[in-house]
Amino acid sequence: MTEAGGSADRNGTAHARYAPGTPCWVSLMVHGVSATQEFYSQLFGWEFQPGPQQLGPYVRALLDGREVAGIGQLPPDRHLPVAWTPYLASDDVDTTAETARLCGGTIGVGPLDAAEAGRMAIGSDPSGAVFGIWQAAAHLGTGLTGVPGTPVWNELLTYETANVAKFYETVFGYEEEPRTSGTQDRVVLRVGGRPVAGVRGVGHALPRDRGPHWMTYFQVADADAALVRVVELGGEVLAPARDSAHGRLATVCDPEGARFSLLQPPAGGSGG
């Protein structure tokens, strides 16, 4: 993730307010919060503190004392997928949610206040991929990026990019990066000229049990070592580590089945 002011040093980037449209937070809803906390604590070194309880039990993950992600309890009577969900910043969540509805999306939760932290909604785009909307008050969002254990990128995996990218551009005001030559169906969404998220069309390569969905990438110091640790902790490797233009990538899932990717940036760089 990029955008929002803050100081950058060897300890990462501390973030201030995020520009509208920028992914500003990631949250995971699970059946077993305690076991999930243990998994991510061992994998990323996270510590936890209680967060707003509007949607049930919820904790915020901390790294070096700064908030980096959230984990909540799925209501037992709702059969929802266990998945990491990115929240996109908004200056007015009610207006953004209404625009999403008018553009063919669905708002399933909210808009509602999350105590003094801010105001939120959870919706899905016309293809069915779930995303959150966050209007910050006391809680600005992810407080640290650029170091292992922090979110580094979010990408929507969908059937094809043309229509769904237009949805996000209309709702959040993204600029679309010009497509490069080649056969890959991919769009980079930009805010103020800076890349903040991607949309990738993969056609029928989408998992049948998931459909279109957002994928969160977490930075790691050593992707291969992290894969070993994931398996030791009860997770599963879905796509082994491979080298890419952005660093060494792998895709895994935690013990409850939540998919996420690991990114080891190239030496001297950070992902995105």
Side-chain angles (χ1 to χ4, degrees), residues 42-44 146-150 152 218-233 237 239-243 246-252 260-267 269:
Q42 294 295 318
L43 182 62
F44 292 140
V147 295
T150 62
V152 67
F218 291 96
Q219 186 169 330
V220 292
D222 184 327
D224 297 273
L227 291 184
V228 173
R229 194 72 180 121
V230 165
V231 174
E232 289 175 347
L233 294 169
V237 176
R242 63 179 179 84
D243 292 320
H246 302 289
R248 195 154 173 78
L249 290 168
T251 301
V252 301
F260 59 100
S261 289
L262 305 173
L263 173 63
Q264 176 189 336

Side-chain angles (χ1 to χ4, degrees), residues 26 80 88 107 132 158 165 226 248:
V26 289
L80 299 172
L88 309 175
I107 301 299
T158 189
R248 195 154 173 78

Side-chain angles (χ1 to χ4, degrees), residues 24 36-37 59 75 157 168 173 206 208 232 248:
C24 63
T36 299
Q37 285 181 236
V59 294
L157 302 179
Y168 287 98
L206 275 172
R208 290 186 178 182
E232 289 175 347
R248 195 154 173 78

Side-chain angles (χ1 to χ4, degrees), residues 95-130:
T95 298
T96 302
E98 182 59 26
T99 304
R101 287 192 192 98
L102 293 172
C103 292
T106 301
I107 301 299
V109 176
L112 55 84
D113 290 325
E116 75 288 346
R119 191 162 170 80
M120 61 164 284
I122 300 173
S124 56
D125 66 30
S127 74
V130 176

Side-chain angles (χ1 to χ4, degrees), residues 9 18 45 56 73 75 82 96 104 111 158 163 172 176 201 237 249 263 267:
D9 56 26
Y18 285 83
Q73 175 80 52
V82 176
T96 302
T158 189
N163 292 327
F172 292 100
E176 180 179 321
V237 176
L249 290 168
L263 173 63

Side-chain angles (χ1 to χ4, degrees), residues 32 54 76 78 106 112 135 138 169 184 199 236:
Q54 270 69 16
R78 298 188 68 183
T106 301
L112 55 84
Q135 180 182 336
E169 289 161 14
Q184 189 178 40
V199 181
E236 182 181 351

Side-chain angles (χ1 to χ4, degrees), residues 7-178:
S7 60
D9 56 26
R10 64 185 179 85
N11 296 316
T13 300
H15 284 274
R17 184 171 293 273
Y18 285 83
T22 308
C24 63
W25 187 244
V26 289
S27 192
L28 173 64
M29 302 296 285
V30 297
H31 299 288
V33 173
S34 295
T36 299
Q37 285 181 236
E38 181 65 20
F39 174 85
Y40 287 100
S41 173
Q42 294 295 318
L43 182 62
F44 292 140
W46 291 350
E47 298 176 332
F48 297 91
Q49 68 180 19
Q53 308 290 303
Q54 270 69 16
L55 301 179
Y58 189 82
V59 294
R60 290 180 182 153
L62 306 180
L63 195 62
D64 296 330
R66 296 173 184 165
E67 297 167 339
V68 295
I71 298 175
Q73 175 80 52
L74 274 171
D77 57 338
R78 298 188 68 183
H79 299 286
L80 299 172
V82 176
W84 281 102
T85 300
Y87 281 72
L88 309 175
S90 171
D91 286 340
D92 185 337
V93 67
D94 294 80
T95 298
T96 302
E98 182 59 26
T99 304
R101 287 192 192 98
L102 293 172
C103 292
T106 301
I107 301 299
V109 176
L112 55 84
D113 290 325
E116 75 288 346
R119 191 162 170 80
M120 61 164 284
I122 300 173
S124 56
D125 66 30
S127 74
V130 176
F131 63 94
I133 308 168
W134 183 253
Q135 180 182 336
H139 175 64
L140 298 178
T142 303
L144 178 68
T145 59
V147 295
T150 62
V152 67
W153 187 248
N154 288 277
E155 187 150 274
L156 172 62
L157 302 179
T158 189
Y159 295 112
E160 52 83 28
T161 63
N163 292 327
V164 74
K166 188 59 65 180
F167 167 85
Y168 287 98
E169 289 161 14
T170 303
V171 174
F172 292 100
Y174 295 123
E175 308 138 19
E176 180 179 321
E177 183 174 285

